[in-house]
Amino acid sequence: MLNKEFCIPLENLVEELAQPMSTADIAELTIQLQIGKTVKEARKAKHLTQTAFAKVMGVTQSMVSRWESGDCNFTLHTLISIGEVLGLSIRNPLNQNPFQTILVIVL
């Protein structure tokens, strides 16, 4: 059943989707998707299910799913905790190269 509170007319949705994204919005989305992909790959490399990883992290499986889909704004604390559990390192995110990897797998 649809929640009417979240229903909007199709033309409003199309209009909203047609709005250009700012450079900052694009950068934010790119970083979120990149982090999500890295988290998912590292979790799978450790043979952890989303549920098992969530238990270790003290969060719900749906939160892990949101992390991996890029549907989440990470706090630094969360990123550091994820890195510790999955063996990932956080490089300096503020540098001259806007495409530098934020999380990398540490071997």
Side-chain angles (χ1 to χ4, degrees):
M1 174 157 229
L2 289 175
N3 183 340
K4 295 197 186 272
E5 180 179 328
F6 296 107
C7 292
I8 62 171
L10 181 59
E11 58 272 7
N12 290 5
L13 178 61
V14 171
E15 183 179 312
E16 192 65 32
L17 292 172
Q19 296 299 317
M21 292 178 69
S22 70
T23 303
D25 290 339
I26 293 169
E28 181 180 341
L29 180 60
T30 301
I31 290 168
Q32 287 174 331
L33 292 172
Q34 184 178 25
I35 290 171
K37 180 181 177 189
T38 301
V39 169
K40 184 175 185 176
E41 289 172 355
R43 174 185 59 78
K44 286 185 170 188
K46 292 205 172 272
H47 306 288
L48 291 170
T49 63
Q50 284 186 343
T51 302
F53 181 48
K55 186 174 182 179
V56 172
M57 292 296 299
V59 299
T60 64
Q61 178 274 326
S62 63
M63 179 56 74
V64 172
S65 178
R66 288 184 62 214
W67 290 343
E68 292 181 358
S69 69
D71 185 30
C72 185
N73 288 323
F74 296 92
T75 65
L76 289 176
H77 177 77
T78 299
L79 285 174
I80 291 167
S81 296
I82 290 170
E84 288 174 348
V85 170
L86 295 179
L88 300 172
S89 172
I90 299 176
R91 292 183 183 172
N92 181 5
L94 296 177
N95 62 39
Q96 297 298 321
N97 181 356
F99 300 107
Q100 179 182 359
T101 301
I102 303 298
L103 294 175
V104 294
I105 298 175
V106 177
L107 301 175

